[in-house]
Amino acid sequence: MAAGLSLQCGDCGTLLKSVEEAEEHAELTSHSNFSESTEAVLNLVCTTCGKPCRSKTETDLHTKRTGHSDFSDKTLETAKPISLETPKSTDSDDVVVGGESSENQEMVVPEVDKKLLEDLEEMGFPTARATRALYFSGNASVEASISWIAEHENDPEIDQLPLIPVNTKIEAPKPTLTPEEVKIKAQELRERARKKKEEEEKISEREKEKERIRIGKELLEAKRIEEDNERKRFFLAYHRIMAMRKAEKEEEKRARERIRQKLEEDKADRRRKLGLAPEDPTVAKPAAPAVEEKKSSLPVRPATKTEGMKNWLRYLKQNHKDDDAKVKRAFQTLFTYVGNVARSPDEEKFRKIRLNNPSFQERVGSLKGGVEFLEVCGFEKIEGGEFLFLPRDKVDMAVINSAGSELNSAIINPFFGVL
């Protein structure tokens, strides 16, 4: 019978070189079905960098990472019968055998030349990458380390600190680049690292900007939904009030009808008690005498001041309906002017407004309807139209109070000027 060259996992088919590997595989996967196999574990060695691969999958991954595609098959050279006995530990300290550490071998970070390490770090290389390069280049020089980095920059573990068994030594490979090439390569690596960092920062900034835009849209949508809900609540309340008024009018009409019927019944009962014949409903009742309408000697005014104030406020809002904040600020400013006059009618400073004042122009004067509203309240243009002035003897508190009520309604009612 042919000697077994490997152990094969009966659950997943993986080939393993030793009992130790089988035990590790069992711990990681919980597979427990192993058998001897005459098929040797592959030993495909990269002819460019010397990295061994145990399967076609590993060689494909290595080619993808490094671009190395030439491999030497040394499977038959290293194949030997597998030992099914677990090696016994000795009383002496663990030692390195055949270049590989035993199971309990202590692993440490190798010592490297601190001066060379500082030089590489100043050039922009990470500490882990610089340490690994110095160790595997035998601490020979900065140029040798950069040469090693250039050859292994695509290794997946390039930025991991190397761990080696105690007392392990590795011969320094000979630099494959000239000093001039090393300088050029170092500059290329630094430039590549700088561009990579800039690209990462740009990507991060774009993501932050997208997040800010998303949050802004969510806030605007939440505000729109809240405004829609507020309008719906107002319309529901309005319809409920109108329905209640309609029901009250119908109930009032039914009550008047009941009273009329009761009066008719009482009248018929009195005629019956007096022995009079019932009233003939077909006989037409005499019409009520016409009342001559009195004509007032006072002139008829087309609209009250309150209606005029309300019309100008509606005009102001409808002509600036795309800027609710500006309209609301104008209403609040007008409310302040009217309130000051109501509280202190004797103070002239509250009854005089400079029309070309920048603050007044920005808040009220530039909006058609604001100055006209004040004129309805009693303010007059004086001094060639430079000021608006409300004379003390023309302060009508009823008009001022009515103006305050109209402005308050315009401020708190979101549908003012719409319905």
Side-chain angles (χ1 to χ4, degrees):
M1 182 177 179
L5 299 178
S6 63
L7 289 175
Q8 185 175 28
C9 176
D11 296 316
C12 64
T14 302
L15 294 177
L16 306 159
K17 292 195 299 185
S18 64
V19 174
E20 293 91 332
E21 287 192 1
E23 290 175 349
E24 292 178 1
H25 183 77
E27 290 179 2
L28 293 173
T29 63
S30 300
H31 298 167
S32 59
N33 182 17
F34 297 93
S35 61
E36 281 190 81
S37 174
T38 57
E39 184 179 354
V41 177
L42 293 179
N43 185 18
L44 305 175
V45 181
C46 178
T47 58
T48 305
C49 63
K51 178 177 176 61
C53 299
R54 299 178 56 174
S55 65
K56 185 64 170 60
T57 301
E58 288 189 22
T59 59
D60 292 342
L61 289 174
H62 183 70
T63 300
K64 185 176 180 181
R65 291 170 183 163
T66 65
H68 303 165
S69 59
D70 190 13
F71 295 88
S72 175
D73 189 351
K74 297 185 179 181
T75 303
L76 297 179
E77 297 178 13
T78 58
K80 58 182 179 179
I82 189 170
S83 174
L84 299 179
E85 294 183 3
T86 304
K88 297 179 181 180
S89 60
T90 61
D91 295 334
S92 61
D93 294 338
D94 294 334
V95 295
V96 178
V97 180
E100 297 183 0
S101 61
S102 64
E103 184 178 356
N104 297 324
Q105 180 68 45
E106 182 181 0
M107 306 296 286
V108 295
V109 177
E111 291 288 338
V112 296
D113 190 299
K114 294 183 179 179
K115 179 63 172 63
L116 296 177
L117 178 62
E118 290 177 1
D119 292 342
L120 288 172
E121 288 177 338
E122 289 177 359
M123 295 173 69
F125 295 106
T127 301
R129 181 177 296 198
T131 302
R132 181 176 287 271
L134 284 171
Y135 172 69
F136 286 109
S137 64
N139 290 305
S141 64
V142 171
E143 290 76 11
S145 300
I146 294 176
S147 178
W148 187 91
I149 292 174
E151 295 175 359
H152 298 83
E153 61 178 325
N154 293 321
D155 290 357
E157 67 278 2
I158 186 67
D159 286 319
Q160 297 177 8
L161 282 171
L163 295 175
I164 63 170
V166 177
N167 300 326
T168 299
K169 294 182 180 180
I170 187 169
E171 295 182 0
K174 296 180 180 180
T176 59
L177 300 177
T178 64
E180 292 76 12
E181 291 175 336
V182 167
K183 291 181 181 179
I184 296 173
K185 193 64 179 178
Q187 181 63 29
E188 290 178 356
L189 292 173
R190 285 195 297 271
E191 185 66 19
R192 193 180 305 171
R194 183 186 64 79
K195 290 182 178 179
K196 182 179 180 182
K197 184 177 180 181
E198 290 179 354
E199 185 64 25
E200 290 176 351
E201 291 176 351
K202 288 180 181 178
I203 293 173
S204 176
E205 188 61 30
R206 284 198 294 269
E207 293 298 325
K208 289 180 181 178
E209 183 63 23
K210 289 180 181 178
E211 183 66 14
R212 285 194 292 268
I213 293 173
R214 183 187 66 80
I215 293 174
K217 288 182 178 179
E218 289 180 356
L219 291 175
L220 290 175
E221 181 65 15
K223 182 179 179 182
R224 186 191 64 78
I225 293 174
E226 180 61 27
E227 291 175 351
D228 288 345
N229 291 337
E230 183 66 25
R231 282 194 289 271
K232 290 177 183 178
R233 286 193 292 269
F234 176 81
F235 280 120
L236 288 174
Y238 175 78
H239 288 304
R240 281 197 297 268
I241 292 172
M242 296 303 295
M244 290 173 61
R245 288 180 179 177
K246 184 178 180 180
E248 289 173 357
K249 288 181 180 179
E250 291 178 352
E251 180 60 30
E252 184 180 352
K253 184 178 179 180
R254 288 193 293 268
R256 285 198 300 268
E257 182 64 21
R258 288 195 296 269
I259 292 172
R260 189 189 64 77
Q261 291 179 359
K262 180 65 175 175
L263 291 175
E264 291 292 336
E265 292 174 359
D266 291 345
K267 183 177 179 181
D269 187 52
R270 285 196 302 271
R271 290 180 67 86
R272 189 172 57 254
K273 288 179 180 180
L274 294 173
L276 300 175
E279 195 175 44
D280 188 358
T282 60
V283 178
K285 295 182 180 180
V291 180
E292 183 180 356
E293 182 180 354
K294 279 188 175 184
K295 293 186 179 180
S296 174
S297 59
L298 298 175
V300 179
R301 300 174 64 184
T304 64
K305 284 194 173 185
T306 301
E307 292 171 344
M309 286 184 269
K310 185 180 295 185
N311 289 337
W312 280 119
L313 292 178
R314 284 175 177 167
Y315 180 87
L316 190 152
K317 182 167 184 177
Q318 289 173 356
N319 280 272
H320 302 85
K321 58 185 177 181
D322 295 331
D323 196 345
D324 290 339
K326 194 170 185 179
V327 171
K328 189 173 183 180
R329 185 173 62 177
F331 288 166
Q332 290 171 340
T333 304
L334 291 171
F335 189 80
T336 301
Y337 286 139
V338 172
N340 288 338
V341 174
R343 285 189 295 272
S344 305
D346 295 326
E347 291 286 345
E348 182 177 333
K349 65 180 180 180
F350 294 142
R351 294 183 283 106
K352 191 172 184 180
I353 304 171
R354 184 185 293 274
L355 288 174
N356 61 2
N357 181 281
S359 178
F360 176 80
Q361 279 296 320
E362 180 185 358
R363 294 171 175 268
V364 177
S366 61
L367 281 70
K368 178 68 175 175
V371 174
E372 291 79 2
F373 174 86
L374 292 172
E375 288 177 336
V376 175
C377 294
F379 283 84
E380 303 171 353
K381 290 182 179 180
I382 62 173
E383 298 183 20
E386 185 177 354
F387 291 93
L388 275 178
F389 182 66
L390 176 60
R392 179 64 184 90
D393 58 347
K394 292 187 179 181
V395 176
D396 188 338
M397 295 307 296
V399 173
I400 297 298
N401 291 333
S402 178
S405 299
E406 292 301 325
L407 284 167
N408 184 60
S409 175
I411 292 171
I412 65 175
N413 183 1
F415 301 102
F416 179 84
V418 177
L419 300 177

